[in-house]
Amino acid sequence: MASSSPNLELRPLGNTGLKLSCVGFGASPLGNVFGSVSEQDALDSVREAFRLGINFFDTSPFYGGTLSEKMLGKALKALGVPRNEYIVSTKCGRYKEGFDFSAERVTRSIDESLARLQLDYVDILHCHDIEFGSLDQIVNETIPALQKLKEAGKTRFIGITGLPLGVFTYVLDRVPPGTVDVILSYCHYSINDSTVLDLLPYLKSKGVGVIHAAPLAMGLLTDNGPPEWHPASAELKFACRAAAAYCKEKGKNISKLGMQYSLSNKDISTVLVGMNSVRQVEQNVAAATELATFGQDRETLSAVEAIFGPVKNQTWSSGIPQS
């Protein structure tokens, strides 16, 4: 079953040599993180994603207490295509039980993840949400352990993820050049917050690839609004509701506008978005295809950016539930 969409752009990931589809498949919803997803829906969504040209799939043992990895593993196996036709990243250090960035735990973690994913290796192994651990431990213990896993062929490349942008420079300034291949940042290249822009020249100078996740700011840029636990301020949530209402009034969709905004910067290798249905896959691919064909809707985007005004680039502390 070959991928059949020539329209989904492939972008290089730093110095890795990997080329990722500009839309990446976030598999956290397959772990029932945002509501129940049937096994058939999981299989169908991954199959459709691959058919439409998505070649990058991301998960973590933390998502759904390992369920996401298991479901993604089943779905990828069901594709029945050669392993080199898709790119998989998983994570280590964050689990249902809590955080553990020790060399012993992350070394054991990759073997557990590979068994669940039914794979011999992953393309990228990330330290997950490093701001919750000791950054010095990440530098001096975790990343050296990941390098050994890379040498053993269990992962091809090493990444780090987190919300505060400062964690990336802290680590990258303290490890040998080329040690960390990629960062995964989230919520910092969306219409309401584009602060990762300031970091891109630094990352490029280090040869580090950039994955951007949560283009809709964990539900802020949707008609339904964010979940109750969302850590954004009341002012920012109000502005997002106003922006969504404005888009609706103009016959536009805030989520598509947000997705296209994140996709528009080609220094970001892929925009990772959670998907749990064929419909969601089709909408995200359509947003990318439309952007490539017609460009951004600058008129609506300008009006929405004006609505954000004083709350633009207002960030928050990590507030994702520990479930």
Side-chain angles (χ1 to χ4, degrees):
M1 174 186 169
S3 169
S4 61
S5 173
N7 296 323
L8 207 53
E9 180 189 4
L10 297 178
R11 297 179 182 174
L13 181 68
N15 290 341
T16 64
L18 296 176
K19 288 194 171 179
L20 274 54
S21 51
C22 61
V23 176
F25 187 104
S28 64
L30 305 190
N32 296 338
V33 172
F34 303 104
S36 184
V37 179
S38 72
E39 182 168 325
Q40 193 58 53
D41 282 343
L43 295 175
D44 290 346
S45 58
V46 169
R47 180 173 290 272
E48 183 68 358
F50 185 79
R51 189 184 74 81
L52 291 177
I54 292 175
N55 73 350
F56 176 54
F57 300 85
D58 173 83
T59 183
S60 166
F62 174 62
Y63 302 149
T66 74
L67 180 60
S68 171
E69 284 188 325
K70 290 172 187 165
M71 294 303 291
L72 181 61
K74 279 185 183 178
L76 291 173
K77 186 160 191 177
L79 291 178
V81 300
R83 172 66 182 87
N84 63 2
E85 290 193 17
Y86 53 82
I87 295 162
V88 179
S89 65
T90 193
K91 307 182 182 76
C92 61
R94 184 171 198 179
Y95 311 96
K96 188 179 181 183
E97 308 77 45
F99 293 91
D100 187 344
F101 293 102
S102 67
E104 186 278 329
R105 184 66 187 99
V106 300
T107 301
R108 188 158 39 93
S109 184
I110 186 60
D111 289 332
E112 295 165 353
S113 290
L114 291 175
R116 288 187 287 263
L117 288 163
Q118 303 181 58
L119 297 174
D120 296 326
Y121 68 91
V122 290
D123 298 279
I124 306 164
L125 181 60
H126 292 286
C127 297
H128 195 178
D129 290 342
I130 59 174
E131 68 266 29
F132 291 100
S134 156
L135 295 183
D136 290 328
Q137 182 188 29
I138 300 293
V139 168
N140 298 315
E141 182 179 351
T142 318
I143 288 175
L146 266 54
Q147 283 181 285
K148 288 181 181 172
L149 297 176
K150 185 176 178 178
E151 288 160 13
K154 294 181 181 183
T155 185
R156 295 175 67 197
F157 301 105
I158 294 169
I160 49 178
T161 89
L163 180 65
L165 295 174
V167 300
F168 299 123
T169 51
Y170 186 94
V171 171
L172 289 167
D173 283 344
R174 288 165 177 79
V175 297
T179 306
V180 172
D181 303 290
V182 55
I183 65 128
L184 191 162
S185 168
Y186 66 99
C187 292
H188 289 307
Y189 196 69
S190 304
I191 302 174
N192 59 292
D193 181 338
S194 58
T195 48
V196 82
L197 277 177
D198 296 335
L199 199 58
L200 293 181
Y202 167 89
L203 294 168
K204 193 178 272 191
S205 76
K206 297 268 188 184
V208 172
V210 182
I211 296 169
H212 168 59
L216 306 184
M218 303 190 307
L220 284 176
L221 302 177
T222 61
D223 284 334
N224 292 333
E228 233 174 86
W229 52 259
H230 198 292
S233 69
E235 294 81 7
L236 180 53
K237 289 178 181 175
F238 179 83
C240 288
R241 284 196 298 273
Y246 172 84
C247 288
K248 208 167 199 176
E249 186 187 312
K250 297 292 180 184
K252 310 287 184 176
N253 180 271
I254 186 74
S255 296
K256 183 166 82 169
L257 191 75
M259 185 71 184
Q260 291 180 335
Y261 178 89
S262 294
L263 284 164
S264 65
N265 191 320
K266 298 196 179 189
D267 286 334
I268 291 169
S269 298
T270 189
V271 175
L272 193 57
V273 59
M275 305 186 222
N276 63 14
S277 67
V278 167
R279 182 169 166 269
Q280 287 182 357
V281 170
E282 290 172 343
Q283 285 174 337
N284 288 315
V285 171
T289 306
E290 183 184 292
L291 177 68
T293 308
F294 301 107
Q296 283 183 290
D297 179 354
R298 296 202 173 275
E299 187 182 337
T300 308
L301 182 59
S302 296
V304 166
E305 286 184 312
I307 290 169
F308 285 117
V311 295
K312 172 84 173 176
N313 293 338
Q314 184 185 96
T315 190
W316 55 79
S317 298
S318 301
I320 300 174
Q322 306 289 306
S323 60

